Amino acid sequence: MRRFIAVLAAALLLPVASPAAARPGARYQNPVSASFADTFADPVVIAGEDRHWYAYGTTDPLREGEGTPHRIPMARSGDLVNWTYVGDAFGPGQLPAYARPTAALWAPDVRKTGNRWVMYVTVTETEPDGASAIGVATAPTPTGPWTFAPQPAVPPRAAPGGGWWWTFDPAQLTTPDGTRYLYYGSYFGGIWVSRLSPDGLQTVGDATRVAIDNKFEGAYVVRRSGWYYLFASSANCCAGPTTGYSVSVGRSRSPLGPFVDRDGQSLNVSRAGGTPVIAPNGNRWVGTGHNGLITDRAGQDWFVYHAIDRADPYLDEPFGINERPMLLDRLDWIGGWPTVNAGAWASQTPQPAPGRRVGPVRPVPVPQPGRSLPAHSDEFTATGLGPAWQFVRPDAAVTVSGGRLRWPVQGADLTGDSNNAGVLLRDAPAGNWIAETKISLDLGEDTVRNFQQAGLIAYLDDDHFARLSTVAIWNTRQVEFGKEMPFAGSTSFGGTIAGTPGLTTTWLRLAHRVDAGGEHEYRAGVSRDGRTWTWGGVWTLPADTVARIGLIAHGGAEPPVTAEFDYLRFSRW
């Protein structure tokens, strides 16, 4: 898939002449922060008034082995791809008066308000309770000097059940009538929006939740063609080589929502929607998330984000701070919805540089099932499992009758040191294929059912697999595509969110191909009706291995629930 995506993405770059055309043949290659930083997480880029762009990142050491963190490092560029470090927004000890001395500053957002620049930033610990808040600072220029306001723009927020909501990841929006809004929040509490005072330094009035808790963080909102688009990141930002962080989007006619995805599914319900914008695609980059947007002088939109090189995931090996450099890729709008590189997602090869407008583009084709492979499939019309099935840790509760395999969800798992769940497997065909199953699993709505799930698995062994399942994650219901692999004498597990499950019935697909380097790539597909499919991220398993494909039903036995599988079908693609 790597070679397929790279070739197809290059073929789709169809330049349209513009007055600000880039030099013919000008190209760049990710990561664009390599000239000044090994890691530059949670990036945002703004256009200055001096024909330069400015980038801001979260607090971290910039280079491997450096040790000392930079409090909001800043960089400057004349072309969006060649960057120079220009200092830190805040020096040692420069924290707002309400912050604890141990507080970190994360995920800045910078905007011009009146005759000054305003920075919103996560303050991770405040006095007296250690809760997070959104701080605000001002400066006469994009590089400072920055001065904190005496009060946070968003103070700590008490959670109804105790503790404090995560008040992280600010993003400002100004509407055409001049009204300013601030979006903020994370997994514990969800994403919220508040109006800002005219000077941009305080939120006013009641806040509105626009995206559910336990799924979204890292909001960024833009207005386009009368719609407001809410970009948000999902899954774990920082799981090293198995980081599945990815970005999805919903849109609304109002900055206050409700935001819905391409299928009309709300981002603010238990079975939250989200149309994929970027996810791991099988190349070197995983953890593709926490984005900003910037438009170049030719009017072309660009997606700025961080990612992790799966071969070099930490600043200090084998473990340490996740190394998340800044990447830049073209953002295309297809049928009213944004996607990175026409759906090819993160680039790792040289790309046409900013400065000329590209379009229109056709979306990258997604896997489509072709000739069926009945010899590898099972419709469960017998009264038991046939000899093609192999059971790792057999479960006597599994039954087959009436065209369905029924499997009570086990109080067991495969992640970490668990390795006590059953795995029902069969050999996969050679070459490129799609495996599909239809699952009925009643996980209820809104209530906590951690982490009951059922779905498909590509399995090498208990510590090396890719698992696609409809799952209860706290109060949400999601389709997670997770991977576990050996790493540095331990195991690493992470997941990317592939889509939204149906109310009780969900269709899942794994599309397999072998890339030019010999790796086995598996892409996740999800459907709520068996007809319309959302294709999510890609996980890889090593070359020269042979994974078996099968079914799982595990994660928690209480309350009792049974997964029912209608079939496991293989087809060519």
Side-chain angles (χ1 to χ4, degrees), residues 59 153 559:
T59 298

Side-chain angles (χ1 to χ4, degrees), residues 234-549:
S234 293
N236 189 333
C237 72
C238 308
T242 58
T243 301
Y245 213 42
S246 53
V247 179
S248 58
V249 69
R251 71 182 187 182
S252 174
R253 290 295 187 184
S254 166
L256 302 177
F259 291 91
V260 300
D261 68 10
R262 183 173 49 205
D263 298 327
Q265 191 73 8
S266 171
L267 273 62
N268 200 25
V269 295
S270 179
R271 296 173 191 274
T275 297
V277 178
I278 192 171
N281 62 8
N283 67 13
R284 67 185 282 197
W285 300 115
V286 297
T288 52
H290 202 117
N291 72 285
L293 269 68
I294 193 69
T295 304
D296 69 17
R297 298 186 188 102
Q300 176 65 49
D301 289 336
W302 294 85
F303 193 80
V304 57
Y305 61 107
H306 70 238
I308 293 174
D309 183 343
R310 58 188 170 106
D312 181 22
Y314 296 106
L315 276 183
D316 299 301
E317 299 294 350
F319 298 102
I321 295 171
N322 280 251
E323 187 174 317
R324 297 177 287 168
M326 177 172 67
L327 278 64
L328 181 83
D329 275 300
R330 196 184 73 244
L331 185 70
D332 296 312
W333 297 82
I334 301 175
W337 292 93
T339 187
V340 174
N341 283 332
W345 300 341
S347 68
Q348 68 173 12
T349 58
Q351 301 293 308
R356 54 182 175 180
R357 195 161 184 173
V358 175
V361 297
R362 298 180 299 276
V364 170
V366 296
Q368 297 291 343
R371 177 172 57 90
S372 63
L373 299 172
H376 293 274
S377 305
D378 196 335
E379 300 291 326
F380 301 129
T381 54
T383 55
L385 290 171
W389 288 101
Q390 307 135 40
F391 221 142
V392 177
R393 289 175 292 274
D395 186 347
V398 173
T399 60
V400 178
S401 64
R404 285 193 167 188
L405 183 149
R406 296 172 177 84
W407 194 345
V409 172
Q410 298 177 313
D413 212 326
L414 289 178
T415 58
D417 296 328
S418 299
N419 296 344
N420 59 350
V423 188
L424 184 58
L425 302 167
R426 60 194 297 129
D427 294 338
N432 298 344
W433 48 260
I434 293 174
E436 178 183 320
T437 192
K438 177 184 176 184
I439 305 171
S440 296
L441 180 65
D442 186 0
L443 294 175
E445 204 82 0
D446 294 310
T447 57
V448 174
R449 300 275 291 269
N450 289 340
F451 287 97
Q452 293 185 320
Q453 60 190 285
L456 294 167
I457 189 168
Y459 178 91
L460 291 177
D461 58 48
D462 284 343
D463 295 327
H464 212 163
F465 58 82
R467 178 185 68 186
L468 177 64
S469 54
T470 176
V471 57
I473 301 177
W474 295 96
N475 56 308
T476 68
R477 306 296 180 258
Q478 306 183 40
V479 177
E480 181 187 61
F481 190 27
K483 178 182 177 179
E484 184 166 274
M485 62 177 284
F487 183 79
S490 184
T491 58
S492 177
F493 177 82
T496 185
I497 303 306
T500 306
L503 185 60
T504 57
T505 303
T506 306
W507 288 255
L508 300 177
R509 285 176 178 169
L510 283 179
H512 167 269
R513 65 184 297 139
V514 178
D515 70 14
E519 280 195 313
H520 296 269
E521 298 189 345
Y522 299 86
R523 188 173 185 186
V526 182
S527 177
R528 294 163 55 84
D529 59 11
R531 299 182 300 275
T532 302
W533 289 83
T534 295
W535 286 94
V538 175
W539 287 124
T540 64
L541 294 178
D544 302 321
T545 62
V546 180
R548 292 174 290 170
I549 307 302

